[in-house]
Amino acid sequence: MSGTTSSFPERMELRGEGLVLRDWTEDDLAAMPELFDHPDIAYWTPIVSPFDAAAARARLERDRKLRAEGTTILLAITVDGGVPLGEVMLRRAPEGTEIGYAVGPAHRGQGLAARAVRVMAAYAFRELGAERVILELEAENAASVSVATRAGFRLLDVPLIEGEEKGRPFSLQTWGLDRP
């Protein structure tokens, strides 16, 4: 990560790997519960559950606040700039530049997460000067381990991140991708 933290652009659109990663908009609020109100997302991610219209509104507002602070961006994963199929996140944190993702259940199995992670990592290297981007995931989450390996990440030899969320303990591995 570079020594300075500047704001993210007010509007963003990233293209690559057959995807368009774009800002969430008011028009997406109705689609968000279908993407995020699912047991897998509730279990493996910090996204609130149940995820309803109020949660969608709160997520959009939080997205805008975090972007304005220059810490986090949340972008809708689309193939053409239209209907959102999932989300990719980039967060600047003391431990590094972290990427996260969630793909709606109806859109899994298309490589969307791995492609979105690679596009977001390229942005972090090119625009933010990141030397490494990381993914933090549970070893038992086979789908996320697959995303990490398909996106070119390697498991780092660092301590597990232990914690509890939503009433269950977790242990996160850290996977890294270094600047090409």
Side-chain angles (χ1 to χ4, degrees), residues 78-96:
T78 76
V79 293
D80 58 4
V83 176
L85 310 173
E87 174 177 87
V88 64
M89 174 218 56
L90 182 140
R91 180 175 71 93
R92 292 172 168 152
E95 60 273 13

Side-chain angles (χ1 to χ4, degrees), residues 84-166:
L85 310 173
E87 174 177 87
V88 64
M89 174 218 56
L90 182 140
R91 180 175 71 93
R92 292 172 168 152
E95 60 273 13
T97 303
E98 178 187 1
I99 296 176
Y101 47 85
V103 173
H107 311 292
R108 295 180 184 159
Q110 302 173 47
L112 295 169
R115 290 187 285 154
V117 165
R118 287 191 297 261
V119 171
M120 190 64 92
Y123 170 81
F125 295 137
R126 182 181 65 248
E127 300 298 326
L128 305 180
E131 293 299 320
R132 172 181 282 166
V133 292
I134 59 172
L135 302 172
E136 296 174 344
L137 53 97
E138 294 183 62
E140 297 81 15
N141 187 342
S144 278
V145 169
S146 178
V147 167
T149 57
R150 285 184 289 131
F153 285 67
R154 64 183 171 79
L155 183 59
L156 300 178
D157 186 18
V158 298
L160 292 173
I161 300 164
E162 306 276 348
E164 183 175 314
E165 189 155 39
K166 298 180 187 174

Side-chain angles (χ1 to χ4, degrees), residues 12-150:
M12 287 187 70
E13 182 178 279
L14 304 176
R15 293 176 176 265
E17 303 232 7
L19 299 177
V20 178
L21 308 180
R22 63 157 176 84
D23 293 321
W24 287 103
T25 69
E26 303 284 329
D27 293 340
D28 298 319
L29 290 173
M32 291 172 86
E34 182 180 326
L35 296 174
F36 301 134
D37 191 36
H38 189 271
D40 285 349
I41 296 206
Y43 188 82
W44 296 115
T45 76
I47 294 174
V48 300
S49 178
F51 195 96
D52 56 14
R57 168 64 59 197
R59 190 156 184 86
L60 183 61
E61 290 171 5
R62 182 172 177 266
D63 167 35
R64 291 173 176 166
K65 177 182 177 281
L66 293 172
R67 181 174 310 182
E69 292 172 355
T71 59
T72 305
I73 50 176
L74 301 169
L75 298 176
I77 300 170
T78 76
V79 293
D80 58 4
V83 176
L85 310 173
E87 174 177 87
V88 64
M89 174 218 56
L90 182 140
R91 180 175 71 93
R92 292 172 168 152
E95 60 273 13
T97 303
E98 178 187 1
I99 296 176
Y101 47 85
V103 173
H107 311 292
R108 295 180 184 159
Q110 302 173 47
L112 295 169
R115 290 187 285 154
V117 165
R118 287 191 297 261
V119 171
M120 190 64 92
Y123 170 81
F125 295 137
R126 182 181 65 248
E127 300 298 326
L128 305 180
E131 293 299 320
R132 172 181 282 166
V133 292
I134 59 172
L135 302 172
E136 296 174 344
L137 53 97
E138 294 183 62
E140 297 81 15
N141 187 342
S144 278
V145 169
S146 178
V147 167
T149 57
R150 285 184 289 131

